[in-house]
Amino acid sequence: MKPLALLPLALLAACSQEPAKPNVRIDDVWARAVAPGQTSGAAYMTIVNDGDAPDRLTRVNVSLAKMTMLHGTEIKGDVASMAMVDGVDVPAEGKAELKPGGTHVMMTGLTVPLSPGDRFFVDLEFAKSGKKTIGGKVVAAGER
Amino acid sequence: MRNVRLVLWGAVALALAGLAWLMLRPAPGPMPTVQSSGAIAIGGPFTLTGADGRPFASSRLNGRPAAIFFGFTHCPDVCPTTLARLTKLRRSLGKGDDALAIVFITVDPERDGPKEVGAYSALFDTPVIGLTGSPDQIARVKQQFGVYSEKTPMPAGDYGVAHTATVFLMDRNGQFQSTIAAEENDAAALAKLKRLTA
């Protein structure tokens, strides 16, 4: 066999040895409008991972709020409660949804009211993909 | 040998004394009464405070069905999600806003006065009746509906409230008809509302 014929095989081997990486993008970032004087709100989003390695959302921050936390709503029996969560796993070639009634971005001490049409930014930090900032939109309370 | 006998007789005496106590002790209080009608007693007349600061008697809801939800205004996820869902379902019914009263009762009267429940209810751009009351009044109405709530600490001295997230469906006469659970899908919930408003 000629050495040249081995080249594609060698390339293939080199490719497969490349470490798996997550490829994370964030879609559909939104928050529900809050009432005047109401200082806590929630934001939601879909985190899509096209990469071949999982990642994990570890931190969130919304500058409009004094404190931002990752929260999970849990319904046990018929009782709903919220608890802080350490992070949100984003599977390889999969997605994680932060949605109403589930894991969400909890904002407390909102410094401005959130009105329909307002824009805001969320800073996110992933274990592997690092920091990302993404824009979101405030929707009317009854819309979604 | 004699010692062993003494010990055994002692044990017998103790056992007899225990038996006597069991038989002679005062009878326990009356057994909880069971509703003979078969219906679960949920609801009942109440008077709370409306968003205008005036008393709101449950009789004001008579004549039209009501969906009653207990929550609190600092609740950013479950409460507005549930109220948004109810307003959307009412729209899907296509019978107008008067066909179904949507009622929001706070379980956090310490923070939610008439102004707060009013602003919260007004968020949905469709009539939602926000109610509060004194802690005693709220405790009473919670008991009437079998609603549980408990404050849960959050960072910075803040608190959340774990609470029953079920929606109570009351008929035109204020009688309990059924519930919508948080996990229930929209189709099932809409079917219940159709029955309620038929």
Side-chain angles (χ1 to χ4, degrees):
Chain A
M1 202 182 254
K2 286 181 196 165
L4 205 60
L6 286 172
L7 193 62
L9 270 179
L11 277 174
L12 203 68
C15 281
S16 66
Q17 273 163 14
E18 199 172 289
K21 274 194 304 192
N23 181 19
V24 163
R25 78 166 191 272
I26 296 108
D27 285 344
D28 192 24
V29 183
W30 64 282
R32 200 183 290 285
V34 303
Q38 193 191 334
T39 55
S40 48
Y44 308 98
M45 67 191 73
T46 304
I47 304 165
V48 181
N49 182 5
D50 291 330
D52 49 6
D55 205 342
R56 184 174 167 83
L57 173 65
T58 53
R59 282 172 74 99
V60 284
N61 188 55
V62 177
S63 56
L64 299 178
K66 285 192 183 126
M67 195 183 292
T68 317
M69 293 166 272
L70 278 170
H71 254 202
T73 291
E74 203 179 46
I75 295 176
K76 270 194 201 141
D78 64 347
V79 174
S81 59
M82 292 196 305
M84 274 202 267
V85 295
D86 292 338
V88 178
D89 286 319
V90 191
E93 282 151 28
K95 61 182 179 178
E97 277 185 281
L98 306 192
K99 60 182 180 186
T103 306
H104 55 273
V105 176
M106 166 88 174
M107 302 173 281
T108 61
L110 284 169
T111 50
V112 291
L114 302 179
S115 304
D118 285 357
R119 314 291 302 195
F120 61 96
F121 286 100
V122 190
D123 299 315
L124 304 167
E125 203 173 318
F126 290 90
K128 290 178 194 153
S129 303
K131 292 181 181 178
K132 286 179 188 292
T133 298
I134 185 91
K137 198 175 120 181
V138 179
V139 306
E143 199 177 309
R144 305 182 61 163
Chain B
M1 194 66 194
R2 204 173 157 214
N3 281 347
V4 174
R5 273 192 175 187
L6 267 178
V7 168
L8 283 174
W9 277 115
V12 168
L14 264 176
L16 281 174
L19 194 67
W21 179 80
L22 276 176
M23 287 166 70
L24 297 175
R25 74 185 161 149
M31 294 293 284
T33 47
V34 178
Q35 292 273 328
S36 57
S37 67
I40 310 160
I42 291 180
F46 60 79
T47 298
L48 292 169
T49 306
D52 56 3
R54 293 194 185 146
F56 184 102
S58 55
S59 57
R60 286 204 11 214
L61 299 170
N62 287 356
R64 63 175 167 155
I68 301 179
F69 177 69
F70 291 80
F72 63 110
T73 72
H74 283 65
C75 166
D77 184 44
V78 164
C79 306
T81 300
T82 305
L83 290 172
R85 184 182 182 210
L86 286 174
T87 62
K88 279 187 280 187
L89 287 170
R90 180 167 67 186
R91 217 168 297 137
S92 304
L93 274 175
K95 296 178 181 176
D97 293 341
D98 287 339
L100 175 75
I102 298 174
V103 182
F104 168 74
I105 301 177
T106 183
V107 291
D108 187 15
E110 290 82 4
R111 285 190 295 197
D112 293 340
K115 200 180 116 205
E116 284 76 21
V117 292
Y120 200 67
S121 306
L123 261 179
F124 298 91
D125 294 325
T126 180
V128 172
I129 299 167
L131 299 176
T132 183
S134 69
D136 280 352
Q137 284 175 311
I138 295 295
R140 202 176 114 73
V141 78
K142 270 168 57 185
Q143 199 176 24
Q144 285 175 306
F145 284 84
V147 165
Y148 163 89
S149 76
E150 190 186 10
K151 287 177 184 164
T152 54
M154 290 214 307
D158 207 355
Y159 65 85
V161 187
H163 61 94
T164 301
T166 303
V167 174
F168 298 91
L169 301 180
M170 314 302 281
D171 70 13
R172 284 179 183 79
N173 304 313
Q175 299 293 307
F176 169 75
Q177 198 183 74
S178 58
T179 58
I180 299 175
E183 302 98 328
E184 214 164 325
N185 66 43
D186 282 349
L190 189 62
K192 285 180 179 176
L193 291 181
K194 275 185 180 152
R195 240 183 347 261
L196 186 72
T197 57

